[in-house]
Amino acid sequence: MLLFRQQEKIFILLNRPLLLLICSVCFTILLIFYALHAPDSINFTAKNAGYVPSNSSSSLHPPAKEDAKCNLFKGRWIWDEKGPLYTNFSCKTIPDKKNCFLHERMDKDFLHWRWKPDECELPVFDPRSFLSIARGKTMAFIGDSVSRNQMESLLCLLSTEETPKDVYKDAKDRFRTWHFPHYNFTMMSLWSRFLVTSSQTIVNGSVTGGFDVHLDKVDDNWAPKLPVVDYAIFSDAQWFLRQNYLYEGGNLIGCIYCQEPNVTDLGPGFAIQRAFRTAFNYINDCKNCFGILTLLRTISPSQFENGTWKTGGSCVRTSPLAPEEIQDAGGTDMEYRNIQMAEIESARKRGEKIGNRFDVLDVTGAMLMRPDGHPGLHWRNKKKGYSDCVHWCMPGPIDVWNEFLLEVLRRQSHFPLRSR
């Protein structure tokens, strides 16, 4: 018996390191488990530890209340060394007409300005946050080629997160659809000159460059597709600024710039008002469009100097304007913007009673300060000497429209902002 006890003591002494090792491993496992599963209120901190407390700047967090109420669209452009999120090399979908560097634009300072609202900060565009908000949704840009310009900007910004699939293109490349498979997000461009029905004006068998515009009939290019759309972004203006004939109820009621003795010149503002009213009324009357978020993107100014498109006008500036440098308080651009704003507000008041949401991307003021952002002569110009002072270079100041868009969507969805 004594011999057995002596052997047991010898065994324990010989295996004590092994027991200590087993105890140490068990204690370490318990400590790691506790650190990983402890409540957020307990701040486990260790040197080089991967755990980040919930109030860290790298976590998702809601915006401050004052930021949520801040007017995003009143501010100024300030210098930004960082520049854009993409380049004309990294984004493969930039159209030639907006690829200004491809067409020998040499100055680059215009890329280094960011929009600063007076009362808050506008977050840098975060493609992952955008796609997370839009997961499983369909977004339509409805309008003219400037509307398409915004979609192309968004496509480049989102492509830094996921490469989209080109799903559809019509023969004239006016209707496009792109899909982001990982997020099941679909984005489409629906071409419409006036948002309402129109046809080219024919005189003596020849086209005149003007249109017969039926202000009380929505354009079938976009209206039938609305039931599958979650976000509809409406914009139009440039096609109204030419000689057009205006109809309601099938009857001629006036014109724009026609200078005919028996036809009342009602002006672009009247036509813009009626067209947007018809479009927004259609949305509120649509039985299959419940839950859609409708956004107005206000008029984007064309900024020709010393002439017009056809008379040698140009846009050669290389830096932004300050707010106090805008001439005539924005002139007719602000007049048309105010008309659009009145129509979206009227639609919002009606829509909120039936569950429809309306909001605004009020870009006019910001873009009046950016005459430096147009292609000018630096585009795929089939007519030598013509400057494009309507569309926007990519990358360029147009990218802020989609920073506005992300922030409006985030506010509408109450989605937390992902800090970088």
Side-chain angles (χ1 to χ4, degrees):
M1 186 69 177
L2 181 61
L3 180 62
F4 175 79
R5 288 182 177 177
Q6 289 176 339
Q7 290 176 338
E8 184 179 24
K9 288 181 180 179
I10 294 171
F11 176 83
I12 292 173
L13 289 171
L14 290 173
N15 288 277
R16 182 172 292 175
L18 178 61
L19 292 173
L20 290 173
L21 178 62
I22 292 172
C23 291
S24 176
V25 170
C26 291
F27 179 78
T28 302
I29 292 172
L30 287 173
L31 183 62
I32 292 173
F33 181 86
Y34 178 79
L36 291 174
H37 296 278
D40 287 348
S41 60
I42 300 175
N43 292 333
F44 173 80
T45 57
K47 188 175 181 180
N48 298 324
Y51 177 82
V52 182
S54 61
N55 61 352
S56 166
S57 61
S58 68
S59 63
L60 290 170
H61 60 86
K65 289 183 178 180
E66 57 269 21
D67 284 359
K69 295 179 180 179
C70 161
N71 182 353
L72 298 172
F73 312 112
K74 184 180 179 182
R76 64 177 59 235
W77 295 90
I78 63 173
W79 182 256
D80 178 23
E81 289 288 350
K82 294 180 181 178
L85 295 181
Y86 65 94
T87 70
N88 65 320
F89 292 106
S90 67
C91 181
K92 307 303 181 184
T93 56
I94 298 178
D96 281 353
K97 290 183 178 181
K98 287 102 176 184
N99 193 341
C100 301
F101 294 119
L102 181 66
H103 298 285
E104 300 180 345
R105 179 163 184 170
M106 303 304 293
D107 65 294
K108 295 184 179 180
D109 281 358
F110 77 101
L111 299 178
H112 291 275
W113 296 90
R114 68 177 178 89
W115 181 251
K116 172 64 176 70
D118 289 340
E119 299 174 353
C120 62
E121 293 290 333
L122 177 65
V124 174
F125 188 88
D126 180 8
R128 188 174 301 174
S129 290
F130 189 102
L131 289 167
S132 296
I133 293 172
R135 184 185 295 274
K137 301 290 197 301
T138 296
M139 176 176 288
F141 290 85
I142 303 169
D144 56 21
S145 57
V146 183
S147 171
R148 172 71 171 265
N149 204 168
Q150 182 180 4
M151 188 209 73
E152 291 159 346
S153 162
L154 181 59
L155 193 63
C156 284
L157 291 165
L158 296 180
S159 296
T160 61
E161 172 67 18
E162 180 183 4
T163 301
K165 291 186 176 181
D166 190 351
V167 176
Y168 174 76
K169 178 174 71 170
D170 74 311
K172 294 183 178 180
D173 194 16
R174 289 180 172 174
F175 299 86
R176 293 294 296 267
T177 302
W178 299 83
H179 184 66
F180 293 80
H182 180 73
Y183 292 88
N184 190 25
F185 171 59
T186 300
M187 186 165 62
M188 60 178 66
S189 176
L190 303 178
W191 163 263
S192 181
R193 290 185 181 91
F194 301 97
L195 302 182
V196 292
T197 302
S198 66
S199 59
Q200 286 193 317
T201 302
I202 306 295
V203 176
N204 298 324
S206 302
V207 296
T208 63
F211 290 82
D212 297 332
V213 184
H214 296 266
L215 296 172
D216 55 348
K217 297 180 180 179
V218 295
D219 188 351
D220 284 340
N221 283 334
W222 63 265
K225 300 176 178 64
L226 208 58
V228 302
V229 172
D230 299 287
Y231 308 118
I233 302 168
F234 285 84
S235 58
D236 254 330
Q238 298 300 328
W239 287 91
F240 291 94
L241 309 180
R242 59 176 63 199
Q243 181 176 307
N244 295 308
Y245 292 86
L246 309 177
Y247 292 78
E248 285 186 346
N251 300 312
L252 179 67
I253 63 169
C255 72
I256 302 172
Y257 305 147
C258 68
Q259 298 179 347
E260 294 185 16
N262 297 323
V263 183
T264 304
D265 190 339
L266 297 173
F270 174 87
I272 290 171
Q273 178 193 60
R274 294 300 179 91
F276 277 88
R277 183 176 299 175
T278 296
F280 294 153
N281 281 342
Y282 181 86
I283 294 168
N284 276 328
D285 292 335
C286 179
K287 303 301 181 183
N288 300 317
C289 304
F290 180 79
I292 189 172
L293 173 60
T294 302
L295 300 174
L296 162 69
R297 194 268 294 153
T298 61
I299 182 173
S300 167
S302 58
Q303 294 170 302
F304 292 94
E305 295 185 84
N306 303 314
T308 65
W309 177 279
K310 294 183 178 181
T311 61
S314 63
C315 39
V316 296
R317 294 177 183 264
T318 58
S319 60
L321 302 176
E324 54 273 15
E325 294 179 286
I326 297 175
Q327 296 183 355
D328 301 325
T332 55
D333 289 313
M334 289 305 294
E335 176 190 341
Y336 302 147
R337 172 261 182 199
N338 292 340
I339 290 170
Q340 293 175 328
M341 292 288 284
E343 290 306 312
I344 193 78
E345 178 61 18
S346 177
R348 185 193 64 79
K349 289 179 179 178
R350 183 183 169 205
E352 67 184 5
K353 299 176 183 177
I354 55 177
N356 288 339
R357 294 176 296 159
F358 292 82
D359 214 323
V360 178
L361 305 177
D362 185 7
V363 307
T364 309
M367 304 315 284
L368 281 168
M369 303 178 208
R370 296 307 307 267
D372 58 323
H374 300 285
L377 291 172
H378 306 288
W379 62 294
R380 193 184 65 191
N381 191 351
K382 295 180 180 179
K383 297 180 179 180
K384 296 299 181 182
Y386 282 73
S387 291
D388 182 356
C389 305
V390 176
H391 302 94
W392 301 91
C393 291
M394 293 174 53
I398 191 174
D399 296 325
V400 79
W401 299 7
N402 292 311
E403 291 183 336
F404 289 151
L405 175 58
L406 173 54
E407 181 63 13
V408 169
L409 292 182
R410 188 180 63 79
R411 292 180 180 187
Q412 283 281 346
S413 64
H414 307 291
F415 194 87
L417 176 66
R418 189 177 72 92
S419 295
R420 287 181 175 271

